[in-house]
Amino acid sequence: MQETVEQPTADTHTPKPPRRKLIFSLTGVGVVLIGSVIGYLALIPQTHVVPSRLAQLVTIRPGVKAFDIKPTSSLVQPVAKSGIKPLEAAARQFPAETGIYSRIWRPSSNAAAATEIIAFLSPTTTTARSVYQLLNTQQLGAKSYAASSLTRRSTFQVPGIAGSSGATYSSSAKSTTATANPTLGEVVFRIGRVVTLTETLSTSSAQSSVQVIARSEAAQLRSVGPGFTLAATTYPIAASSVWAIVTLVLLLIVGYLPFALPRWRQRQALLRSIENEQREDTWGVVYKRTDSGGWNAYVPALPGIDVVGPTRAETDQLLGEAIADHLDEMRREGLPIPEQNNVVVGHVVAAARPA
């Protein structure tokens, strides 16, 4: 005797969600996310010009022991009063990409020593080249400090800074004190869109000190990078919060809609079906008196329904049950239900004719 092994059958009572609905849901969520990110980046961020960002262009530590102190002053200088024409013209067109910033160190232990670094930010390298040439001529010329009785003693380049120019100046008059006359050392160089002027006043070796300070400043500019800008982007908290809430609501709607919409349609169809079943239909009926004093009634729209009752009320009750049974049978057989009120029973008075 052979045993029959029954194969397991799929559970038809717990259908899996259709793959098409899942695809529609994931697609809608993706579209909402992409649209939300694009819209947020286009509408919410606010850009402001922040001049204080210029402080990033000037080093805090000059690299020389005598000036390894907190800066005496740090400030944004007005471009319009700088006297540097190429920079002034650029500032009118590109205020977010133009500026001047300076830092000064003055050791309290040595009143004759001081260092200043001034950074000139230009919107383009072309403008920066013009600024460099102008500063080179104004600050490093043979007679740049003749009005201050300073004579240029030497010119040099700073090792490690391509295109740099430097010079030292000192007084030709002999010192009247035991302390030697201070020497002024200056270096001008350009890195990208930034031109830097470094000035050092020292009674010792001004040239070596200003070279060390210039290399420290060059390292600072390289760390800032060529993409430096005065524009700062902010994201308002209130607007960002509202945008996030709206996006979340849309994600919930779009993600759940492919699953909820068919269920809603089925429920509406079920409610309409129940409403139709519970609604009382009105049918045209013809009543006739019987010889026994009762009532005979039939429905012209539903052939085959013909009832007799002793009273009108009982006749109506029997007729209602017969109509309900007849309609149920028609629905089971798939027959169309005829119109209810296609028969009207009235009274007509015939005119009497002479005999």
Side-chain angles (χ1 to χ4, degrees), residues 190-255:
R190 179 185 67 85
I191 294 181
R193 298 183 295 116
V194 181
V195 177
T196 297
L197 170 63
T198 302
E199 298 178 317
T200 298
L201 188 65
S202 175
T203 55
S204 58
S205 178
Q207 179 173 330
S208 61
S209 296
V210 78
Q211 288 185 9
V212 172
I213 296 171
R215 282 194 290 267
S216 177
E217 171 62 12
Q220 174 69 18
L221 292 180
R222 294 188 186 103
S223 68
V224 171
F228 177 81
T229 178
L230 298 181
T233 302
T234 59
Y235 300 86
I237 296 178
S240 299
S241 301
V242 173
W243 193 276
I245 293 173
V246 172
T247 300
L248 181 60
V249 172
L250 290 176
L251 287 174
L252 293 175
I253 293 175
V254 173

Side-chain angles (χ1 to χ4, degrees), residues 119-205:
F120 303 84
L121 175 65
S122 300
T124 63
T125 55
T126 301
T127 303
R129 291 191 187 98
S130 300
V131 173
Y132 171 79
Q133 293 173 359
L134 183 60
L135 288 176
N136 204 350
T137 302
Q138 290 181 351
Q139 302 296 129
L140 304 180
K143 298 182 179 181
S144 295
Y145 293 94
S148 301
S149 300
L150 296 178
T151 303
R152 188 173 71 179
R153 299 302 181 181
S154 65
T155 59
F156 57 88
Q157 291 184 340
V158 180
I161 305 178
S164 60
S165 300
T168 59
Y169 300 85
S170 64
S171 175
S172 57
K174 293 183 179 181
S175 176
T176 58
T177 63
T179 305
N181 288 331
T183 301
L184 174 65
E186 297 207 2
V187 172
V188 177
F189 64 90
R190 179 185 67 85
I191 294 181
R193 298 183 295 116
V194 181
V195 177
T196 297
L197 170 63
T198 302
E199 298 178 317
T200 298
L201 188 65
S202 175
T203 55
S204 58
S205 178

